[in-house]
mmCIF file of all heavy atoms in Angstrom:
data_model
loop_
_atom_site.group_PDB
_atom_site.id
_atom_site.type_symbol
_atom_site.label_atom_id
_atom_site.label_comp_id
_atom_site.label_asym_id
_atom_site.label_seq_id
_atom_site.Cartn_x
_atom_site.Cartn_y
_atom_site.Cartn_z
ATOM 1 N N PHE A 53 125.527 69.987 38.359
ATOM 2 C CA PHE A 53 124.826 71.037 39.041
ATOM 3 C C PHE A 53 125.671 71.577 40.142
ATOM 4 O O PHE A 53 125.841 72.784 40.356
ATOM 5 C CB PHE A 53 123.468 70.581 39.513
ATOM 6 C CG PHE A 53 122.687 69.876 38.456
ATOM 7 C CD1 PHE A 53 122.174 68.617 38.681
ATOM 8 C CD2 PHE A 53 122.449 70.490 37.211
ATOM 9 C CE1 PHE A 53 121.417 67.953 37.740
ATOM 10 C CE2 PHE A 53 121.729 69.810 36.235
ATOM 11 C CZ PHE A 53 121.252 68.577 36.480
ATOM 12 N N ASN A 54 126.312 70.669 40.940
ATOM 13 C CA ASN A 54 127.215 71.040 42.019
ATOM 14 C C ASN A 54 128.466 71.676 41.455
ATOM 15 O O ASN A 54 129.035 72.651 42.089
ATOM 16 C CB ASN A 54 127.509 69.881 42.940
ATOM 17 C CG ASN A 54 126.353 69.507 43.782
ATOM 18 O OD1 ASN A 54 125.458 70.297 44.034
ATOM 19 N ND2 ASN A 54 126.306 68.232 44.204
ATOM 20 N N GLN A 55 128.986 71.181 40.348
ATOM 21 C CA GLN A 55 130.126 71.791 39.699
ATOM 22 C C GLN A 55 129.872 73.279 39.342
ATOM 23 O O GLN A 55 130.676 74.125 39.601
ATOM 24 C CB GLN A 55 130.541 71.028 38.475
ATOM 25 C CG GLN A 55 131.190 69.688 38.704
ATOM 26 C CD GLN A 55 131.521 68.989 37.426
ATOM 27 O OE1 GLN A 55 130.639 68.829 36.555
ATOM 28 N NE2 GLN A 55 132.735 68.638 37.224
ATOM 29 N N ALA A 56 128.731 73.528 38.693
ATOM 30 C CA ALA A 56 128.417 74.892 38.304
ATOM 31 C C ALA A 56 128.190 75.755 39.567
ATOM 32 O O ALA A 56 128.735 76.883 39.592
ATOM 33 C CB ALA A 56 127.107 74.896 37.455
ATOM 34 N N ASN A 57 127.505 75.275 40.538
ATOM 35 C CA ASN A 57 127.289 76.041 41.744
ATOM 36 C C ASN A 57 128.526 76.343 42.524
ATOM 37 O O ASN A 57 128.773 77.479 42.894
ATOM 38 C CB ASN A 57 126.291 75.279 42.644
ATOM 39 C CG ASN A 57 125.890 76.077 43.903
ATOM 40 O OD1 ASN A 57 125.862 77.313 43.831
ATOM 41 N ND2 ASN A 57 125.631 75.454 44.955
ATOM 42 N N SER A 58 129.422 75.358 42.692
ATOM 43 C CA SER A 58 130.647 75.631 43.415
ATOM 44 C C SER A 58 131.593 76.531 42.603
ATOM 45 O O SER A 58 132.301 77.364 43.156
ATOM 46 C CB SER A 58 131.380 74.303 43.819
ATOM 47 O OG SER A 58 131.775 73.613 42.668
ATOM 48 N N GLY A 59 131.559 76.374 41.319
ATOM 49 C CA GLY A 59 132.326 77.314 40.437
ATOM 50 C C GLY A 59 131.824 78.735 40.525
ATOM 51 O O GLY A 59 132.629 79.674 40.567
ATOM 52 N N MET A 60 130.525 78.872 40.583
ATOM 53 C CA MET A 60 129.918 80.238 40.761
ATOM 54 C C MET A 60 130.336 80.848 42.112
ATOM 55 O O MET A 60 130.717 82.019 42.224
ATOM 56 C CB MET A 60 128.398 80.130 40.671
ATOM 57 C CG MET A 60 127.704 81.516 40.833
ATOM 58 S SD MET A 60 126.055 81.416 41.485
ATOM 59 C CE MET A 60 126.304 80.697 43.095
ATOM 60 N N GLU A 61 130.366 80.029 43.166
ATOM 61 C CA GLU A 61 130.755 80.556 44.455
ATOM 62 C C GLU A 61 132.272 80.952 44.458
ATOM 63 O O GLU A 61 132.606 81.974 45.124
ATOM 64 C CB GLU A 61 130.472 79.509 45.587
ATOM 65 C CG GLU A 61 128.980 79.310 45.856
ATOM 66 C CD GLU A 61 128.314 80.619 46.343
ATOM 67 O OE1 GLU A 61 128.911 81.500 46.867
ATOM 68 O OE2 GLU A 61 127.001 80.683 46.033
ATOM 69 N N ALA A 62 133.089 80.164 43.817
ATOM 70 C CA ALA A 62 134.523 80.573 43.679
ATOM 71 C C ALA A 62 134.680 81.834 42.927
ATOM 72 O O ALA A 62 135.426 82.684 43.328
ATOM 73 C CB ALA A 62 135.284 79.411 43.093
ATOM 74 N N LEU A 63 133.893 82.041 41.884
ATOM 75 C CA LEU A 63 133.929 83.234 41.086
ATOM 76 C C LEU A 63 133.426 84.427 41.913
ATOM 77 O O LEU A 63 134.029 85.520 41.889
ATOM 78 C CB LEU A 63 133.112 83.123 39.821
ATOM 79 C CG LEU A 63 133.051 84.292 38.874
ATOM 80 C CD1 LEU A 63 134.497 84.578 38.379
ATOM 81 C CD2 LEU A 63 132.157 83.973 37.720
ATOM 82 N N ARG A 64 132.352 84.250 42.723
ATOM 83 C CA ARG A 64 131.887 85.241 43.579
ATOM 84 C C ARG A 64 132.937 85.752 44.560
ATOM 85 O O ARG A 64 133.155 86.982 44.664
ATOM 86 C CB ARG A 64 130.631 84.782 44.367
ATOM 87 C CG ARG A 64 130.050 85.848 45.300
ATOM 88 C CD ARG A 64 129.009 85.322 46.284
ATOM 89 N NE ARG A 64 128.041 84.341 45.680
ATOM 90 C CZ ARG A 64 126.908 84.741 45.051
ATOM 91 N NH1 ARG A 64 126.621 86.022 44.930
ATOM 92 N NH2 ARG A 64 126.078 83.825 44.609
ATOM 93 N N LYS A 65 133.658 84.837 45.187
ATOM 94 C CA LYS A 65 134.709 85.204 46.140
ATOM 95 C C LYS A 65 135.807 85.983 45.393
ATOM 96 O O LYS A 65 136.365 86.931 45.939
ATOM 97 C CB LYS A 65 135.256 83.931 46.775
ATOM 98 C CG LYS A 65 134.355 83.395 47.780
ATOM 99 C CD LYS A 65 134.931 82.136 48.437
ATOM 100 C CE LYS A 65 133.946 81.481 49.373
ATOM 101 N NZ LYS A 65 134.450 80.222 49.933
ATOM 102 N N PHE A 66 136.175 85.553 44.228
ATOM 103 C CA PHE A 66 137.195 86.229 43.432
ATOM 104 C C PHE A 66 136.795 87.641 43.101
ATOM 105 O O PHE A 66 137.594 88.565 43.288
ATOM 106 C CB PHE A 66 137.385 85.393 42.111
ATOM 107 C CG PHE A 66 138.515 85.862 41.253
ATOM 108 C CD1 PHE A 66 139.823 85.730 41.616
ATOM 109 C CD2 PHE A 66 138.228 86.404 39.989
ATOM 110 C CE1 PHE A 66 140.916 86.177 40.838
ATOM 111 C CE2 PHE A 66 139.234 86.798 39.185
ATOM 112 C CZ PHE A 66 140.564 86.692 39.582
ATOM 113 N N ILE A 67 135.552 87.839 42.737
ATOM 114 C CA ILE A 67 135.060 89.167 42.385
ATOM 115 C C ILE A 67 134.978 90.056 43.643
ATOM 116 O O ILE A 67 135.322 91.221 43.624
ATOM 117 C CB ILE A 67 133.719 89.126 41.570
ATOM 118 C CG1 ILE A 67 133.968 88.507 40.197
ATOM 119 C CG2 ILE A 67 133.061 90.471 41.481
ATOM 120 C CD1 ILE A 67 132.707 88.163 39.448
ATOM 121 N N LEU A 68 134.476 89.472 44.765
ATOM 122 C CA LEU A 68 134.320 90.238 46.006
ATOM 123 C C LEU A 68 135.713 90.667 46.578
ATOM 124 O O LEU A 68 135.883 91.706 47.132
ATOM 125 C CB LEU A 68 133.557 89.437 47.040
ATOM 126 C CG LEU A 68 132.072 89.275 46.795
ATOM 127 C CD1 LEU A 68 131.474 88.347 47.781
ATOM 128 C CD2 LEU A 68 131.365 90.657 46.815
ATOM 129 N N LYS A 69 136.707 89.821 46.342
ATOM 130 C CA LYS A 69 138.039 90.083 46.880
ATOM 131 C C LYS A 69 138.610 91.353 46.205
ATOM 132 O O LYS A 69 139.117 92.238 46.939
ATOM 133 C CB LYS A 69 138.990 88.938 46.585
ATOM 134 C CG LYS A 69 140.382 89.141 47.086
ATOM 135 C CD LYS A 69 141.234 87.898 46.826
ATOM 136 C CE LYS A 69 141.492 87.629 45.324
ATOM 137 N NZ LYS A 69 142.603 88.221 44.714
ATOM 138 N N ASP A 70 138.562 91.478 44.922
ATOM 139 C CA ASP A 70 139.179 92.616 44.220
ATOM 140 C C ASP A 70 138.236 93.769 43.882
ATOM 141 O O ASP A 70 138.669 94.819 43.526
ATOM 142 C CB ASP A 70 139.831 92.073 42.922
ATOM 143 C CG ASP A 70 141.085 91.268 43.195
ATOM 144 O OD1 ASP A 70 141.586 91.383 44.325
ATOM 145 O OD2 ASP A 70 141.440 90.525 42.307
ATOM 146 N N GLN A 71 136.918 93.490 43.881
ATOM 147 C CA GLN A 71 135.855 94.447 43.594
ATOM 148 C C GLN A 71 136.152 95.263 42.319
ATOM 149 O O GLN A 71 136.379 96.480 42.380
ATOM 150 C CB GLN A 71 135.666 95.378 44.788
ATOM 151 C CG GLN A 71 135.291 94.581 46.019
ATOM 152 C CD GLN A 71 134.592 95.365 47.060
ATOM 153 O OE1 GLN A 71 134.174 96.524 46.867
ATOM 154 N NE2 GLN A 71 134.373 94.803 48.216
ATOM 155 N N PRO A 72 136.177 94.665 41.146
ATOM 156 C CA PRO A 72 136.441 95.313 39.913
ATOM 157 C C PRO A 72 135.339 96.284 39.466
ATOM 158 O O PRO A 72 135.522 97.105 38.600
ATOM 159 C CB PRO A 72 136.549 94.187 38.892
ATOM 160 C CG PRO A 72 135.754 93.111 39.504
ATOM 161 C CD PRO A 72 135.938 93.225 40.963
ATOM 162 N N VAL A 73 134.143 96.180 40.121
ATOM 163 C CA VAL A 73 133.022 97.076 39.910
ATOM 164 C C VAL A 73 132.410 97.482 41.238
ATOM 165 O O VAL A 73 132.663 96.828 42.217
ATOM 166 C CB VAL A 73 131.897 96.421 38.972
ATOM 167 C CG1 VAL A 73 132.471 96.168 37.567
ATOM 168 C CG2 VAL A 73 131.415 95.128 39.590
ATOM 169 N N ARG A 74 131.610 98.508 41.208
ATOM 170 C CA ARG A 74 131.000 98.988 42.515
ATOM 171 C C ARG A 74 130.028 97.955 43.036
ATOM 172 O O ARG A 74 129.347 97.282 42.260
ATOM 173 C CB ARG A 74 130.392 100.347 42.335
ATOM 174 C CG ARG A 74 129.105 100.353 41.498
ATOM 175 C CD ARG A 74 128.440 101.741 41.519
ATOM 176 N NE ARG A 74 127.364 101.702 40.548
ATOM 177 C CZ ARG A 74 126.140 101.210 40.835
ATOM 178 N NH1 ARG A 74 125.871 100.722 42.000
ATOM 179 N NH2 ARG A 74 125.147 101.252 39.949
ATOM 180 N N ASP A 75 129.897 97.831 44.310
ATOM 181 C CA ASP A 75 128.929 96.958 44.971
ATOM 182 C C ASP A 75 128.825 95.583 44.350
ATOM 183 O O ASP A 75 127.736 95.160 44.013
ATOM 184 C CB ASP A 75 127.487 97.645 44.976
ATOM 185 C CG ASP A 75 127.561 99.078 45.647
ATOM 186 O OD1 ASP A 75 128.294 99.190 46.628
ATOM 187 O OD2 ASP A 75 126.853 99.966 45.097
ATOM 188 N N PRO A 76 129.921 94.837 44.243
ATOM 189 C CA PRO A 76 129.809 93.508 43.651
ATOM 190 C C PRO A 76 128.920 92.556 44.388
ATOM 191 O O PRO A 76 128.406 91.615 43.774
ATOM 192 C CB PRO A 76 131.261 93.029 43.616
ATOM 193 C CG PRO A 76 131.993 93.820 44.669
ATOM 194 C CD PRO A 76 131.257 95.176 44.784
ATOM 195 N N ASP A 77 128.722 92.792 45.702
ATOM 196 C CA ASP A 77 127.828 91.913 46.462
ATOM 197 C C ASP A 77 126.372 92.058 46.022
ATOM 198 O O ASP A 77 125.563 91.248 46.449
ATOM 199 C CB ASP A 77 128.054 92.122 47.929
ATOM 200 C CG ASP A 77 127.818 93.542 48.415
ATOM 201 O OD1 ASP A 77 128.157 94.452 47.671
ATOM 202 O OD2 ASP A 77 127.325 93.780 49.527
ATOM 203 N N GLU A 78 126.004 93.104 45.331
ATOM 204 C CA GLU A 78 124.657 93.336 44.866
ATOM 205 C C GLU A 78 124.441 92.773 43.463
ATOM 206 O O GLU A 78 123.311 92.947 42.913
ATOM 207 C CB GLU A 78 124.315 94.815 44.934
ATOM 208 C CG GLU A 78 124.256 95.320 46.353
ATOM 209 C CD GLU A 78 123.880 96.762 46.458
ATOM 210 O OE1 GLU A 78 123.528 97.370 45.390
ATOM 211 O OE2 GLU A 78 123.981 97.368 47.603
ATOM 212 N N ILE A 79 125.460 92.179 42.849
ATOM 213 C CA ILE A 79 125.308 91.597 41.510
ATOM 214 C C ILE A 79 124.685 90.145 41.689
ATOM 215 O O ILE A 79 125.243 89.331 42.410
ATOM 216 C CB ILE A 79 126.643 91.504 40.845
ATOM 217 C CG1 ILE A 79 127.228 92.886 40.650
ATOM 218 C CG2 ILE A 79 126.503 90.793 39.521
ATOM 219 C CD1 ILE A 79 128.684 92.906 40.151
ATOM 220 N N ALA A 80 123.648 89.909 41.000
ATOM 221 C CA ALA A 80 123.010 88.600 41.023
ATOM 222 C C ALA A 80 123.953 87.621 40.263
ATOM 223 O O ALA A 80 124.470 87.967 39.207
ATOM 224 C CB ALA A 80 121.632 88.611 40.332
ATOM 225 N N MET A 81 124.144 86.469 40.848
ATOM 226 C CA MET A 81 124.960 85.407 40.198
ATOM 227 C C MET A 81 124.185 84.132 40.285
ATOM 228 O O MET A 81 123.483 83.859 41.266
ATOM 229 C CB MET A 81 126.269 85.207 40.927
ATOM 230 C CG MET A 81 127.211 86.437 40.735
ATOM 231 S SD MET A 81 128.842 86.233 41.462
ATOM 232 C CE MET A 81 129.539 85.057 40.345
ATOM 233 N N GLY A 82 124.271 83.348 39.254
ATOM 234 C CA GLY A 82 123.575 82.105 39.156
ATOM 235 C C GLY A 82 124.312 81.086 38.319
ATOM 236 O O GLY A 82 125.357 81.374 37.769
ATOM 237 N N TRP A 83 123.703 79.925 38.126
ATOM 238 C CA TRP A 83 124.413 78.848 37.422
ATOM 239 C C TRP A 83 123.366 77.985 36.709
ATOM 240 O O TRP A 83 122.132 78.028 36.999
ATOM 241 C CB TRP A 83 125.213 78.004 38.359
ATOM 242 C CG TRP A 83 124.502 77.606 39.571
ATOM 243 C CD1 TRP A 83 124.353 78.270 40.774
ATOM 244 C CD2 TRP A 83 123.761 76.399 39.748
ATOM 245 N NE1 TRP A 83 123.592 77.555 41.617
ATOM 246 C CE2 TRP A 83 123.239 76.454 41.095
ATOM 247 C CE3 TRP A 83 123.479 75.317 38.901
ATOM 248 C CZ2 TRP A 83 122.400 75.417 41.535
ATOM 249 C CZ3 TRP A 83 122.706 74.272 39.454
ATOM 250 C CH2 TRP A 83 122.164 74.363 40.750
ATOM 251 N N GLY A 84 123.829 77.196 35.786
ATOM 252 C CA GLY A 84 122.934 76.308 35.039
ATOM 253 C C GLY A 84 123.751 75.254 34.395
ATOM 254 O O GLY A 84 125.019 75.293 34.407
ATOM 255 N N ALA A 85 123.085 74.285 33.763
ATOM 256 C CA ALA A 85 123.770 73.176 33.073
ATOM 257 C C ALA A 85 123.144 73.009 31.697
ATOM 258 O O ALA A 85 121.910 73.099 31.562
ATOM 259 C CB ALA A 85 123.669 71.893 33.877
ATOM 260 N N ILE A 86 123.998 72.734 30.703
ATOM 261 C CA ILE A 86 123.519 72.478 29.347
ATOM 262 C C ILE A 86 123.976 71.054 28.927
ATOM 263 O O ILE A 86 125.137 70.726 29.091
ATOM 264 C CB ILE A 86 124.111 73.520 28.364
ATOM 265 C CG1 ILE A 86 123.611 74.934 28.770
ATOM 266 C CG2 ILE A 86 123.718 73.161 26.949
ATOM 267 C CD1 ILE A 86 124.181 76.013 27.917
ATOM 268 N N PHE A 87 123.053 70.305 28.385
ATOM 269 C CA PHE A 87 123.267 68.943 27.934
ATOM 270 C C PHE A 87 122.996 68.951 26.464
ATOM 271 O O PHE A 87 121.865 68.606 25.984
ATOM 272 C CB PHE A 87 122.369 67.937 28.679
ATOM 273 C CG PHE A 87 122.616 67.918 30.153
ATOM 274 C CD1 PHE A 87 121.867 68.755 31.012
ATOM 275 C CD2 PHE A 87 123.621 67.164 30.712
ATOM 276 C CE1 PHE A 87 122.051 68.759 32.321
ATOM 277 C CE2 PHE A 87 123.853 67.177 32.120
ATOM 278 C CZ PHE A 87 123.047 67.979 32.921
ATOM 279 N N PRO A 88 123.945 69.274 25.620
ATOM 280 C CA PRO A 88 123.706 69.467 24.159
ATOM 281 C C PRO A 88 123.434 68.195 23.406
ATOM 282 O O PRO A 88 122.866 68.269 22.272
ATOM 283 C CB PRO A 88 124.978 70.139 23.618
ATOM 284 C CG PRO A 88 126.036 69.759 24.599
ATOM 285 C CD PRO A 88 125.354 69.630 25.969
ATOM 286 N N ASP A 89 123.774 67.024 23.946
ATOM 287 C CA ASP A 89 123.646 65.803 23.190
ATOM 288 C C ASP A 89 122.390 64.996 23.680
ATOM 289 O O ASP A 89 122.046 63.940 23.070
ATOM 290 C CB ASP A 89 124.844 64.925 23.313
ATOM 291 C CG ASP A 89 126.097 65.557 22.751
ATOM 292 O OD1 ASP A 89 125.918 66.329 21.745
ATOM 293 O OD2 ASP A 89 127.183 65.353 23.228
ATOM 294 N N GLN A 90 121.772 65.345 24.806
ATOM 295 C CA GLN A 90 120.633 64.575 25.322
ATOM 296 C C GLN A 90 119.310 65.263 25.066
ATOM 297 O O GLN A 90 119.194 66.443 25.247
ATOM 298 C CB GLN A 90 120.837 64.411 26.865
ATOM 299 C CG GLN A 90 122.058 63.623 27.324
ATOM 300 C CD GLN A 90 123.240 64.567 27.415
ATOM 301 O OE1 GLN A 90 123.157 65.751 27.601
ATOM 302 N NE2 GLN A 90 124.487 63.981 27.307
ATOM 303 N N GLN A 91 118.326 64.450 24.732
ATOM 304 C CA GLN A 91 116.990 64.937 24.555
ATOM 305 C C GLN A 91 116.469 65.320 25.912
ATOM 306 O O GLN A 91 116.856 64.791 26.948
ATOM 307 C CB GLN A 91 116.063 63.850 23.939
ATOM 308 C CG GLN A 91 116.428 63.442 22.514
ATOM 309 C CD GLN A 91 116.156 64.586 21.496
ATOM 310 O OE1 GLN A 91 115.414 65.508 21.776
ATOM 311 N NE2 GLN A 91 116.712 64.448 20.334
ATOM 312 N N ALA A 92 115.530 66.224 25.941
ATOM 313 C CA ALA A 92 114.875 66.688 27.167
ATOM 314 C C ALA A 92 114.262 65.488 27.878
ATOM 315 O O ALA A 92 113.575 64.662 27.234
ATOM 316 C CB ALA A 92 113.888 67.795 26.922
ATOM 317 N N GLN A 93 114.506 65.376 29.163
ATOM 318 C CA GLN A 93 113.975 64.286 30.026
ATOM 319 C C GLN A 93 113.332 64.907 31.207
ATOM 320 O O GLN A 93 113.677 66.027 31.565
ATOM 321 C CB GLN A 93 115.038 63.247 30.367
ATOM 322 C CG GLN A 93 115.657 62.616 29.209
ATOM 323 C CD GLN A 93 116.788 61.721 29.677
ATOM 324 O OE1 GLN A 93 117.034 61.508 30.857
ATOM 325 N NE2 GLN A 93 117.478 61.028 28.735
ATOM 326 N N GLN A 94 112.480 64.152 31.857
ATOM 327 C CA GLN A 94 111.945 64.633 33.080
ATOM 328 C C GLN A 94 113.012 64.310 34.175
ATOM 329 O O GLN A 94 113.093 63.266 34.692
ATOM 330 C CB GLN A 94 110.653 63.928 33.440
ATOM 331 C CG GLN A 94 109.515 64.335 32.563
ATOM 332 C CD GLN A 94 109.018 65.764 32.905
ATOM 333 O OE1 GLN A 94 109.665 66.448 33.626
ATOM 334 N NE2 GLN A 94 107.943 66.145 32.273
ATOM 335 N N TYR A 95 113.818 65.334 34.523
ATOM 336 C CA TYR A 95 114.813 65.160 35.513
ATOM 337 C C TYR A 95 114.144 65.322 36.869
ATOM 338 O O TYR A 95 113.510 66.279 37.156
ATOM 339 C CB TYR A 95 115.969 66.161 35.348
ATOM 340 C CG TYR A 95 116.906 66.154 36.520
ATOM 341 C CD1 TYR A 95 117.847 65.125 36.585
ATOM 342 C CD2 TYR A 95 116.851 67.069 37.511
ATOM 343 C CE1 TYR A 95 118.693 65.024 37.612
ATOM 344 C CE2 TYR A 95 117.710 66.995 38.601
ATOM 345 C CZ TYR A 95 118.615 65.972 38.663
ATOM 346 O OH TYR A 95 119.482 65.876 39.703
ATOM 347 N N GLN A 96 114.261 64.355 37.675
ATOM 348 C CA GLN A 96 113.726 64.350 39.027
ATOM 349 C C GLN A 96 114.850 64.597 40.001
ATOM 350 O O GLN A 96 115.753 63.760 40.161
ATOM 351 C CB GLN A 96 113.009 63.063 39.335
ATOM 352 C CG GLN A 96 111.821 62.737 38.414
ATOM 353 C CD GLN A 96 110.727 63.795 38.601
ATOM 354 O OE1 GLN A 96 110.379 64.213 39.758
ATOM 355 N NE2 GLN A 96 110.037 64.121 37.544
ATOM 356 N N GLY A 97 114.846 65.664 40.704
ATOM 357 C CA GLY A 97 115.824 65.932 41.730
ATOM 358 C C GLY A 97 115.696 67.330 42.234
ATOM 359 O O GLY A 97 115.087 68.205 41.576
#
Side-chain angles (χ1 to χ4, degrees):
F53 311 127
N54 288 337
Q55 285 177 306
N57 184 31
S58 64
M60 180 206 64
E61 290 301 333
L63 182 61
R64 179 190 315 275
K65 287 179 183 176
F66 184 68
I67 291 171
L68 287 174
K69 179 179 66 90
D70 291 340
Q71 301 201 11
V73 294
R74 72 174 173 81
D75 303 322
D77 56 325
E78 294 181 9
I79 298 170
M81 292 185 72
W83 50 272
I86 299 176
F87 301 93
D89 298 328
Q90 297 86 23
Q91 295 289 345
Q93 298 176 4
Q94 289 290 9
Y95 173 77
Q96 298 294 322

